[in-house]
Every structure is written in structure tokens, then in C-alpha cells.
Amino acid sequence: MAISNLRELYIYELQDLYSAESQIIDALPKMVEATDDAMLKRAFEKHLEVTKEQKKRLERIFSQLNENPGNGTCEGIRGIIKEGESFIKKEKSFFREDIDKDVLNAALIGSAQRVEHYEISAYGTARTYANRLGLPEQAALLQKTLEEEVEADRELTNIAETSINAEAA
Ligand SMILES: [Fe+2]
């Protein structure tokens, strides 16, 4: 799609986010499986459910706009997930087989937080465009997702600081 105005750029950003959420929905179950930490497992599981709702929220916005989610790939999230997967895929892993579980958990949190920060930034951009375009209802939906991402990021920081990083050290 050739972009020539803010509405088209807004739709492009939404499609990018839609691809991001779809990729995250595929990746989170692998992260749940990779960690042995109960708190972290629960945080990833919870975020999987939240992410499915976020994807639906985007679908609502697309239907309001009479547009479709497209089939492009968010390369930014693809790269972050790929880096994260290198921690958990044994055949590609640059970690030793006998890696300390807490160090692996610390790496998983670092990777998940990169995803959150990407999304926080992208949702902030999309929300601002929605406001600019006079679409306050959509801006509010995007803001809601943004707040959920901030909350998920905070929870991960909390888990890292209270248990995992201490144990990893
Ligand atoms: Fe998300």
C-alpha cells in the first residue's frame, strides 16, 4: 500500500500492530513452556489472554474503519521474538545445556519486556493518530491496550526485581 495521508499511515500502523499481536499470541505459549518459574508462567499465561482481547479490539477498529487487518508481517516484533526464541530453542541456543534456570528466566523476562516496549511505543503512535483524525473512540480503545501493556511491563519488572534477578545472580 502506498501511503499518502495520515489515515493511510494510521491503517498501516494498525495492521503492523495486528501482525505483532498475532505473533505474540503464537510466541507466548512457548515462553510459558520454557520457564519453570510459577509466577512467570502465570504472568505469561495472563498476558496471552489479554493479548487475545487486544487483537479483537484491533478487529473492532478495522471494522469501524471499513478496512481489513491485511497480511503484512511486523518485522520489528518478528526480530524480537526471534531473538527470544534463541534462548529457548535448544538446537539454536547460544546458552549452554546446563544453563541455570534463573538465568534463563531473566533472559525470558528481558525478551518479553522488549516486546512490551515496542508495543507501548506503537500503540502510543496509533492513539495519537486516531486523535488527530478525529476518532476519539478508537483512540480510547488504543489507549486501553497501551495501559495494559504498561501494566504487563510493570509486572515483569516486579517479578524480575523481587525474585528472578536475585536468584539468577
Ligand atoms: Fe499486546
Side-chain angles (χ1 to χ4, degrees), residues 21 24 47 51 54 119 123 145 149:
E21 300 294 16
I24 293 162
H47 197 57
T51 302
Q54 293 173 342
E119 291 193 283
Y123 273 105
T145 297
E149 308 294 13

Side-chain angles (χ1 to χ4, degrees), residues 7-9 30 34 77 87 89 109 111-112 125 134 148 157:
R7 186 183 189 276
E8 287 167 1
L9 181 59
K30 297 179 205 165
I77 284 291
F87 296 140
K89 272 193 190 151
I109 290 182
S111 176
T125 299
E148 289 171 356
T157 297

Side-chain angles (χ1 to χ4, degrees), residues 91-111:
E91 66 272 23
K92 281 193 203 157
S93 183
F94 49 77
F95 282 161
R96 285 169 41 161
E97 284 280 322
D98 61 348
I99 181 177
D100 188 292
K101 290 277 195 228
D102 294 315
V103 175
L104 175 64
N105 289 335
L108 291 175
I109 290 182
S111 176

Side-chain angles (χ1 to χ4, degrees), residues 13 17 115-127 146:
E13 294 285 357
L17 276 165
V115 169
E116 293 314 322
H117 281 253
Y118 183 100
E119 291 193 283
I120 289 165
S121 160
Y123 273 105
T125 299
R127 176 219 48 213
L146 180 103

